[in-house]
Amino acid sequence: MNRDDFPILNSGIIYFDNGATTLKPKCVVDKMIDYYTKYTSNIHRGDYDNAMKTNEAYDEVRELVRDLINAKNISEIVYTSGTTESLNLVAFGFFKKYLKKDDEVLINKAEHASNILPWLVLQKEIGIKVKYIPLDENRELTIENIKKTITDKTKVISVAHISNVIGDIRDIEQIGKICKEKNIYFVVDAAQSISHYKIDVEKANIDFLAFSAHKMMGPTGVGILYGKKELLDKTDPLKYGGGMNQNFESNGEYVLKTAPIKFEAGTPPIAEVIGLGEAIKYIKKIGVDKIHKYELELKEYMVEELSKIPNIILYNKNSKSGILAFNVEGVFSQDTSVYLNHYNIAIRAGNHCAKVLKDDLDIKNTCRVSLCLYNTKEEIDVLIKALKNSKDIFKVVI
Amino acid sequence: MDKETKREIILDNYQNPMNKGLKDDKSYILKNTNNESCIDNIDMMLKAENGVIKDILFDGEACAICTSATSIIIRNLIGKTLEEAEKIIKNYQNMINEKEYDKELLGELLVYDDIYMQPNRKKCALLPSDAVERILEVIRNEN
Ligand SMILES: Cc1ncc(COP(=O)(O)O)c(C=O)c1O
């Protein structure tokens, strides 16, 4: 659907790498060009017309984000450079202070590097214990296994809402409920879900939520950290400088501004924040539920068709998002992706930044198709046809 | 070399690579090479005696280009002196990187003489040569 909004599609590319980054609709790009060609200026510093216009365009986005995830207040919405920075801010700005030796943080092996490494660093630095919630036979995260892994020492559960390799949708409302009952902090990585699935931070009792604009049809370079107000108040910034201080003196005294501004030192990616706002408007206009329903339909069609090809191995047939991991039997995933490039099909080959999943997946590298609303059945048919001809793979790639 | 011959050599070395599988043997020197820009990941181990390469083994998960290049390099280097090996590696790297090189030295490695046309695969072809280069450096420093 909405293919006309994405000028890049005119090139004929079949873009199935949306888990890495999505394409951008023209309205998002135009909005950013407007800022660069009509009213460029810095934020919060000028009294002239363009500066005021920039302030307005920039500040308005916080409300759009708040509304998207149903946060209570715009002061709970921090602009960051992306999911990675958001999760690092959570780990090092908040938990480094509040966790103690032997406190347990529960993650799982299907998480992205950005939701594993910061915890591993804290494990080394302050002696917390990182524990992996076991995945089930479909490599999915279940409530039952979460419950089984929780102990008296569990202080944090940090999971992706949708995993970027397996594509299973975690029941965050249920997990949030458990966390509330047991007094556990709940951190959610929404990088893969934010534009495909409805999120309500209040209903799911989420303490911190992270996502990136570039995976939701917005620009690169900007993302969001949502944090409950009382937690952000206790979180320390990772960056210090202009814009985030109230006052500082040569004798060493300083006072910082309050959240979210205290986390946003320096000139932010202004055009990108404005672009993010436009992307949110775009998603809302279509409706997240409609997007998810359509993508799931596409995925089910793709699974049905690919299952008919004997030498295709599917790893996550049943997961309910638009992510499908597969391999052509006996072919290294990168060779498959080079082959598909000859059909102008863009997919991803690799371990998808989930390097510890290889322990469980008995195979290190897979091909991944990740869908977005502008993909079509016709595009999937081209993929199917190419994979049906896969005995020619080496004629093409070598 | 025509395209069909090249493809046959590459495919043959990919599907039946030379010396795949490592040994637990301290007389070899081992290096891992992990392609930072793609996903190939191989270990190579090499044994030299009196300035001559006696054996090279490898293992790992890698694409057709990387695996075949590893196999052909192994075929070419076993039995060569360390100086000869260094020269071959240097010339091979020059070929991949579109610099001047001596064709006479490279034998079947010439199947990759047009790999520069696929820039994303240059790294795959270079990976085994990086590993060998690092092993040769260790040997040079030992002596
Ligand atoms: C589940 C998940 N978390 C985090 C990230 C990191 O996002 P970014 O690179 O935008 O910081 C990604 C991106 O691939 C992801 O898929």
Side-chain angles (χ1 to χ4, degrees):
Chain A
M1 55 170 117
N2 293 51
R3 287 178 66 82
D4 292 345
D5 298 336
F6 296 82
I8 195 172
L9 292 173
N10 295 333
S11 70
I13 189 174
I14 296 181
Y15 189 76
F16 285 151
D17 195 16
N18 295 288
T21 195
T22 59
L23 305 178
K24 323 301 171 196
K26 188 163 181 302
C27 60
V28 167
V29 181
D30 284 348
K31 189 89 179 179
M32 294 169 68
I33 292 176
D34 257 7
Y35 164 76
Y36 281 127
T37 54
K38 297 192 182 135
Y39 61 99
T40 300
S41 50
N42 212 324
I43 48 156
H44 304 151
R45 272 163 227 178
D47 298 309
Y48 46 94
D49 287 355
N50 280 354
M52 287 185 282
K53 188 162 178 196
T54 299
N55 279 347
E56 200 176 312
Y58 181 85
D59 288 336
E60 160 193 284
V61 178
R62 253 188 256 274
E63 170 55 25
L64 288 166
V65 175
R66 186 207 63 72
D67 180 59
L68 179 72
I69 59 173
N70 194 32
K72 270 199 195 123
N73 197 293
I74 56 168
S75 64
E76 299 178 312
I77 309 298
V78 184
Y79 296 142
T80 66
S81 64
T83 311
T84 302
E85 188 190 335
S86 299
L87 291 171
N88 274 271
L89 180 51
V90 170
F92 298 110
F94 181 75
F95 285 112
K96 192 172 174 176
K97 263 197 320 195
Y98 284 91
L99 292 182
K100 301 201 173 50
K101 192 168 176 313
D102 296 329
D103 282 349
E104 290 173 0
V105 174
L106 307 192
I107 55 174
N108 61 88
K109 288 186 177 171
E111 293 300 312
H112 187 272
S114 57
N115 188 30
I116 298 183
L117 275 172
W119 302 115
L120 294 182
V121 173
L122 283 192
Q123 179 166 267
K124 231 182 205 157
E125 286 188 0
I126 61 171
I128 61 159
K129 293 249 165 2
V130 175
K131 284 178 54 179
Y132 300 94
I133 304 160
L135 302 171
D136 72 0
E137 67 281 6
N138 294 324
R139 305 164 186 99
E140 297 188 6
L141 187 65
T142 61
I143 295 294
E144 200 188 330
N145 281 348
I146 293 174
K147 281 187 180 159
K148 273 194 218 152
T149 316
I150 293 174
T151 72
D152 292 348
K153 294 230 176 278
T154 304
K155 291 286 166 5
V156 185
I157 294 180
S158 185
V159 296
H161 184 196
I162 297 184
S163 120
N164 63 315
V165 188
I166 303 303
D168 58 321
I169 302 172
R170 280 81 180 260
D171 187 345
I172 49 174
E173 287 182 15
Q174 192 64 26
I175 305 173
K177 213 172 129 211
I178 297 171
C179 287
K180 192 166 189 173
E181 281 164 14
K182 308 219 173 223
N183 231 346
I184 295 169
Y185 289 110
F186 186 28
V187 182
V188 177
D189 167 0
Q192 292 295 341
S193 61
I194 187 71
S195 65
H196 309 273
Y197 211 80
K198 178 77 193 138
I199 295 175
D200 183 326
V201 290
E202 284 292 315
K203 226 168 155 183
N205 184 43
I206 294 169
D207 290 304
F208 293 104
L209 179 90
F211 56 90
S212 304
H214 72 94
K215 292 187 203 281
M216 54 187 295
M217 293 175 275
T220 54
V222 65
I224 295 294
L225 173 65
Y226 157 83
K228 278 189 186 150
K229 184 170 183 317
E230 63 271 24
L231 301 181
L232 287 183
D233 285 345
K234 294 181 193 161
T235 304
D236 288 335
L238 302 182
K239 303 178 292 191
Y240 294 81
M244 54 83 75
N245 65 78
Q246 205 75 272
N247 192 21
F248 54 92
E249 303 289 343
S250 53
N251 68 6
E253 293 302 315
Y254 61 86
V255 183
L256 303 183
K257 288 186 178 165
T258 53
I261 304 300
K262 70 173 173 183
F263 303 110
E264 298 171 2
T267 297
I270 298 169
E272 286 76 5
V273 168
I274 294 171
L276 165 61
E278 193 62 23
I280 294 174
K281 286 184 192 164
Y282 183 78
I283 290 166
K284 276 190 189 153
K285 210 167 67 193
I286 302 170
V288 183
D289 292 338
K290 195 168 155 197
I291 294 174
H292 178 244
K293 188 160 165 278
Y294 177 72
E295 290 168 353
L296 187 57
E297 242 173 65
L298 283 183
K299 174 177 173 183
E300 282 167 355
Y301 175 70
M302 181 163 56
V303 167
E304 193 184 316
E305 292 301 311
L306 282 176
S307 301
K308 294 180 192 159
I309 312 177
N311 63 336
I312 302 289
I313 308 162
L314 302 178
Y315 296 100
N316 63 335
K317 271 188 205 178
N318 301 320
S319 65
K320 298 282 177 249
S321 71
I323 292 175
L324 184 66
F326 71 95
N327 266 325
V328 180
E329 210 176 325
V331 180
F332 190 61
S333 61
Q334 195 191 4
D335 290 322
T336 306
S337 80
V338 170
Y339 168 71
L340 292 174
N341 180 45
H342 284 263
Y343 289 84
N344 214 357
I345 300 173
I347 63 147
R348 166 102 358 175
N351 51 42
H352 316 295
C353 295
K355 289 187 200 261
V356 290
L357 189 60
K358 65 178 182 289
D359 302 346
D360 284 11
L361 204 54
D362 45 279
I363 179 140
K364 286 184 199 145
N365 295 299
T366 58
C367 299
R368 180 185 71 185
V369 169
S370 46
L371 301 166
C372 199
L373 59 95
Y374 35 75
N375 291 129
T376 63
K377 281 194 174 164
E378 290 70 30
E379 290 179 324
I380 292 172
D381 289 338
V382 179
L383 173 77
I384 303 294
K385 195 166 157 217
L387 290 175
K388 273 189 180 149
N389 291 334
S390 62
K391 60 178 185 320
D392 294 338
I393 273 190
F394 292 110
K395 277 216 177 101
V396 174
V397 302
I398 296 174
Chain B
M1 219 184 290
D2 64 80
K3 187 129 185 81
E4 203 42 53
T5 316
K6 281 183 182 171
R7 184 179 296 142
E8 256 170 48
I9 295 172
I10 292 176
L11 206 50
D12 189 38
N13 278 280
Y14 173 53
Q15 286 166 342
N16 309 294
M18 171 110 172
N19 286 0
K20 187 160 195 267
L22 303 178
K23 268 192 210 159
D24 189 9
D25 183 337
K26 292 276 176 303
S27 64
Y28 287 74
I29 295 171
L30 178 107
K31 286 279 173 205
N32 169 265
T33 310
N34 205 333
N35 190 342
E36 283 180 20
S37 67
C38 78
I39 53 181
D40 301 318
N41 188 344
I42 55 165
D43 290 319
M44 291 186 84
M45 58 196 294
L46 183 150
K47 175 175 170 152
E49 263 173 23
N50 305 324
V52 176
I53 296 178
K54 290 287 174 200
D55 195 18
I56 312 177
L57 309 170
F58 87 103
D59 211 347
E61 262 204 73
C63 68
I65 299 295
C66 180
T67 306
S68 60
T70 308
S71 171
I72 300 175
I73 283 180
I74 290 176
R75 253 178 240 286
N76 271 22
L77 294 189
I78 292 179
K80 299 280 190 312
T81 66
L82 296 171
E83 290 74 33
E84 286 167 341
E86 250 171 65
K87 245 193 205 155
I88 292 171
I89 291 292
K90 190 85 223 139
N91 275 277
Y92 174 70
Q93 291 169 336
N94 283 348
M95 174 180 81
I96 305 289
N97 288 322
E98 294 175 81
K99 292 185 193 144
E100 266 187 45
Y101 66 97
D102 184 352
K103 272 190 182 170
E104 303 300 317
L105 289 172
L106 293 185
E108 282 195 335
L109 286 170
L110 289 171
V111 296
Y112 305 108
D113 66 356
D114 53 4
I115 202 86
Y116 65 87
M117 296 196 303
Q118 303 177 62
N120 60 330
R121 311 222 87 181
K122 277 166 65 171
K123 286 250 166 64
C124 312
L126 284 172
L127 203 65
S129 74
D130 293 344
V132 172
E133 193 179 28
R134 283 162 49 215
I135 294 174
L136 294 178
E137 199 180 306
V138 173
I139 298 176
R140 211 180 318 122
N141 292 339
E142 273 177 358
N143 296 334

